[in-house]
Amino acid sequence: MPDRPIALDEYPIHQVPLSLRYVATGDRNAYDRCIFHVMDHSGRALLIAGLGVYPNTGVIDAYATLRLGDRLYAVRASDALTDDRLALTVGPLTITVEEPLARLRLTCTADPADPDGLAYDLTWHAAFPATWEPHHTQYRGDRLMLEGRRFVQAGTCTGSIRVAGQELAVTAGEWTGTRDRSWGVRPIPGEDGGRAAEELRPEGFHWVWCPVRFDDRFVMVIVQEDADGHRTLNEALVVHDDAREVQLGWPHTDIGYRPGTRHPERAVIHLTGPGRKPLELTAEILTSSPLALGAGYPPADDWQHGTWRGRGWTDRRSYDLTDPAAHPLAAYGVTDHAARFTLEGRTGYGILEHGSFGRHDPSGFTGYDSVAREAGR
């Protein structure tokens, strides 16, 4: 097939001397994707939705999961990537950018064969300006495994969610929405890891990603540490409603885990305010959704992002979360926890995304089989 320009090439937005059909790297792991969190303030429901494009493997895919009570409902779809990069639709899942950085519409159409399956029509409204996260790089030996750029934003959602014969009214005063956009290079399953994967397996990985919306401010905290507690990614920032950004020092986390697990039940993030004033951002977990179930994040064994499933692939399923033993891989993947937060007498809502695997000396975890009881937490 001849290599022809695409519609986006009409606009003066090129960054490299290539058609916008292409990315500037030939790395198969190039990606460009987003994630949304929509949470009920009572802890009844947590909806997670995302869409990704993988230009060098020719794949576009999307997913949505809803945690409602003890069940997790999932919709996933994958297809061949086309030249229309503004068409953010995969199967029943669509993201429409109605006003960039301000208003987006999220829809999942119902399956006529399963009228009780997950469907929704939501409008996401920004409450604060989008803010950059730190430039993120991660190596394994000499191999660059991840290089990503992200922005994050908090807002409100309105609309409705339908599932299992129920309709949930999503209202601005009772629901909060956060979102993250990222692009760069990130591992896609199916690549031979070579010697680095065999000989340089990390001893431990500890991750906290925490966007929180208050009425008058948005707080973002990121912590990534290795087994020794060495900090490899760090952010603590508050965005005020007048768009001012203030750094909040070097965050330290104190996580209270459920005995016998690494499942957080509460957390305190110690921050530093202006004038070196100590601040405490506290989190009370309301409900949780493991990203390895339904959402396609590793180590999911039924579907992962960027993998080719053929044209027009769609999958719907639900998971029973009452028995953790039925989903053993979930404990080795990152989990998104909807939480109620407090800061200086204010109450806010957001996500405590957390994963802790292998050894982590600051937490007292000694290996991949170490849990909170052993760590004395």
Side-chain angles (χ1 to χ4, degrees), residues 1 48 149-150 164 168-169 172 197 203 246 259 295 316 323 350:
M1 177 179 292
I48 303 176
R149 191 59 163 150
R150 300 186 179 97
L168 308 179
E203 291 186 60
V246 178
R316 293 175 180 259
D323 180 11

Side-chain angles (χ1 to χ4, degrees), residues 67 70-71 258 290 293 319-330:
R67 172 75 188 261
D70 289 326
R71 295 206 71 85
R258 181 181 301 160
L293 295 184
Y319 303 83
D320 182 356
L321 301 182
T322 58
D323 180 11
H327 311 292
L329 293 180

Side-chain angles (χ1 to χ4, degrees), residues 186-234:
R186 187 169 180 164
I188 300 171
E191 183 178 40
D192 181 359
R195 182 177 68 87
E198 183 69 25
E199 298 182 359
L200 300 174
R201 184 189 184 199
E203 291 186 60
F205 172 81
H206 188 83
W207 170 260
V208 172
W209 179 84
C210 186
V212 186
R213 178 181 180 248
F214 296 90
D215 286 341
D216 63 345
R217 64 195 62 193
F218 168 60
V219 176
M220 183 68 204
V221 176
I222 305 172
V223 172
Q224 180 178 314
E225 294 179 345
D226 63 16
D228 299 325
H230 177 75
R231 189 74 58 91
T232 55
L233 192 67
N234 185 83

Side-chain angles (χ1 to χ4, degrees), residues 148-159:
R149 191 59 163 150
R150 300 186 179 97
F151 67 76
V152 65
Q153 197 169 20
T156 60
C157 273
T158 56

Side-chain angles (χ1 to χ4, degrees), residues 80-142:
L81 182 63
T82 71
D83 288 343
D84 187 356
R85 300 302 168 83
L86 299 182
L88 304 181
T89 295
V90 194
L93 298 161
T94 298
I95 297 174
T96 304
V97 181
E98 295 186 338
E99 183 181 349
L101 303 176
R103 188 177 69 254
L104 300 96
R105 187 178 178 192
L106 314 178
T107 58
C108 176
T109 58
D111 180 0
D114 181 17
D116 287 337
L118 177 61
Y120 54 80
D121 189 342
L122 301 169
T123 301
W124 192 96
H125 308 263
F128 299 90
T131 188
W132 289 111
E133 299 180 26
H135 192 103
H136 191 186
T137 60
Q138 190 168 316
Y139 285 82
R140 181 173 293 179
D142 296 330

Side-chain angles (χ1 to χ4, degrees), residues 130-187:
T131 188
W132 289 111
E133 299 180 26
H135 192 103
H136 191 186
T137 60
Q138 190 168 316
Y139 285 82
R140 181 173 293 179
D142 296 330
R143 170 72 192 277
L144 178 66
M145 301 298 296
L146 184 153
E147 182 176 16
R149 191 59 163 150
R150 300 186 179 97
F151 67 76
V152 65
Q153 197 169 20
T156 60
C157 273
T158 56
S160 63
I161 302 171
R162 298 175 299 282
V163 71
Q166 303 180 57
E167 180 161 343
L168 308 179
V170 178
T171 57
E174 299 175 338
W175 295 69
T176 286
T178 64
R179 73 179 185 116
D180 174 278
R181 275 282 288 116
S182 69
W183 56 92
V185 173
R186 187 169 180 164

